[in-house]
Each structure stands twice: as C-alpha cells, then as structure tokens.
Amino acid sequence: SGGSSLSSSGGDVSVSSGASTSADSGVVAFSTSSVPLGSSGLLSLSTGSSSSSSGIISLSSGDSTTSSSGSISLSVGDSVSASGSHINLNAGANTGGPGGSVYLKAGAGTSSGSVYFVNPSTDSNFGVISDSTFDFSGLSSMSMVVSGTVQLTSSSTMTLTATNGISLGDSNISGFETGSGTVGAVVSGEATVNKMAGKITSESTNLAASDTDNITLYNSRVIASSLVMVNPSGASNCQPVVYLAAPTLGQVDIGVKNIAGTPCNQAYSLSFLVIN
C-alpha cells in the first residue's frame, strides 16, 4: 500500500513486469485461488470514495507501431449445472441530476469499426451496428416492443421490404401526407398539390348536366407509373363522376362529367390518393 498524507496526495502503488529488448515483456497476473468446495475468492478493483470526484479506473492495452495493439477480453467462466453468469455494465446513479451514460465506441481508421453481436453457439455474427449500418439479417425473427411511441426517422428514403409481404397487424394507420387546392386559383383549369393525398375544389360552380370538366393536377409526387385514385367527395344538386385520371411525370390529367339531369349549383370537390 502507498503511504498516507495529511496535506498532499497519498503515495502511489506501481506494479509492472520486466522489460525485454529482444522478446516479450513479462506477465502481470492477479487471481484468486481455486478451491474444491465453496466459492473462489472475490477479486475487487475499485477506487475510494470522495467528497469531490472519486478516482478513475482506466483499463487499456498498449499501442503498437508494427502490428495489432493488444485486445481486451472480459469473459465470465462457464457453468455446468446452473445458468451462465452475466456481465453488467452499470453507469453511475445521481439523486440530484441526470444519471451516467454507457458509451460503446468502435475504433477509428480508414473505415470506422463496428459493434458486432455474436451467436454463442456458432461464434458467427448475427447483427452489426456501425456509423452506417444497422443489420440484424442473421436473425430469423426480431421483436421490438415498447409501451410508448416508436419513431423511425430518415433524412432521405426509408424502405420496408419483406419477401412474404408487410403486415400492419390490423392496426389503424394515420399521419398520411395530405394537402388541398382550388382549381383556377392561379391558372384556369389547373391546381397544384404536392402531396400523396388530398382534396381539390373545382373552378366551375355550375357544371351543366352531361357536361364535362378537364382539370390538370400538378403534383411532384406523381410519376408516369403512379396509381392515382380520384373520387368525387362533395357536390350539390348534381352527380359528378371521374372518367379519367391519367398520370404523367409531375401531373395528373383528370376528366369529370356530370351524369345528373340537373346542373351543379356550386363548386364540387375531388379527393385523390397517389400510390407509387
């Protein structure tokens, strides 16, 4: 043990193995003895408590200039007749503020390292997390269950792919991208709504019986292969039907006919849905 001090830092304790100029340096081994009965002894490594900051524990291997640096291995012994024991990584608690965090940081290099999840039976990787990958394709199934909200966000495109289809589990779906517009608000016969779904109000307020209306809906979500569904969603004293919804890149040409025997006495509305 190092010496105590009343007015300065306590004494240090240093343990090191012997050096070598032509071979490996010596080994430093700490262990408790094996016993035939009972439990083997506890090996404890800790710093003392303090009214200020307590001491840091640093566990690291040395650098290497010509080969790989040394690995660090934390492993639990095997069990024969009981469950295998755990490795617990616990950050510090705080009664007056935020608790501590646990960071897993892969090494930097020409490409960043990854965090791998390994099957204990086969030693093969079934999952990997890196700065560009979240891949658990090695699993036959995966479940994520929470009691609150799950939010998945992408700054570009999010793709869901399944060989046998995607099931929504008979759940309600909400939050569709929607918008609205009025035909003729800027240019006669045209409206612009850059949304996957929405409602447009006609420019005509008195579509005659058996008369037709031609509308161009400009929509940046539409491509030539889009499936565009357009249905009347509001009319008064008449019966407008959609007989044409032809998508091309960036627009849909819509044809409407009043099949009632009476003219519309106000503007009608159409609802649309774009599926790509």
Side-chain angles (χ1 to χ4, degrees):
S1 62
S4 300
S5 174
L6 296 178
S7 59
S8 186
S9 299
D12 298 328
V13 174
S14 178
V15 179
S16 62
S17 65
S20 173
T21 58
S22 60
D24 296 340
S25 61
V27 175
V28 177
F30 296 93
S31 66
T32 61
S33 296
S34 301
V35 292
L37 298 174
S39 300
S40 59
L42 170 69
L43 183 62
S44 177
L45 179 64
S46 64
T47 63
S49 299
S50 173
S51 59
S52 182
S53 297
S54 60
I56 297 172
I57 295 178
S58 177
L59 181 64
S60 62
S61 64
D63 298 332
S64 175
T65 57
T66 60
S67 185
S68 298
S69 56
S71 300
I72 295 177
S73 177
L74 296 177
S75 60
V76 176
D78 296 336
S79 299
V80 176
S81 58
S83 299
S85 294
H86 311 295
I87 293 179
N88 296 322
L89 297 176
N90 298 324
N94 187 346
T95 58
S101 302
V102 176
Y103 292 86
L104 293 177
K105 180 182 177 181
T110 54
S111 60
S112 298
S114 304
V115 177
Y116 289 92
F117 297 80
V118 181
N119 187 314
S121 300
T122 63
D123 283 336
S124 60
N125 302 327
F126 64 81
V128 58
I129 298 176
S130 71
D131 58 359
S132 61
T133 302
F134 186 95
D135 183 359
F136 282 82
S137 57
L139 294 174
S140 59
S141 64
M142 182 176 179
S143 176
M144 181 170 59
V145 180
V146 299
S147 58
T149 301
V150 175
Q151 180 174 333
L152 300 176
T153 304
S154 171
S155 59
S156 56
T157 301
M158 185 176 296
T159 302
L160 298 177
T161 304
T163 301
N164 296 324
I166 298 173
S167 172
L168 299 176
D170 197 28
S171 299
N172 176 53
I173 302 175
S174 61
F176 282 99
E177 180 188 54
T178 61
S180 61
T182 300
V183 181
V186 178
V187 178
S188 180
E190 299 178 358
T192 300
V193 183
N194 294 314
K195 303 292 183 179
M196 296 297 293
K199 180 180 288 189
I200 56 176
T201 302
S202 70
E203 179 179 8
S204 171
T205 58
N206 57 352
L207 185 62
S210 300
D211 205 354
T212 59
D213 222 353
N214 296 313
I215 299 170
T216 300
L217 171 62
Y218 290 102
N219 189 324
S220 60
R221 304 294 189 262
V222 177
I223 58 178
S225 60
S226 295
L227 175 62
V228 182
M229 294 177 283
V230 183
N231 292 299
S233 57
S236 178
N237 199 46
C238 62
Q239 191 175 354
V241 297
V242 177
Y243 66 87
L244 175 69
T248 55
L249 182 61
Q251 70 181 65
V252 184
D253 294 323
I254 303 172
V256 180
K257 182 176 182 177
N258 179 12
I259 63 173
T262 55
C264 298
N265 56 18
Q266 63 182 41
Y268 60 87
S269 58
L270 303 174
S271 296
F272 68 87
L273 174 64
V274 180
I275 300 176
N276 292 326

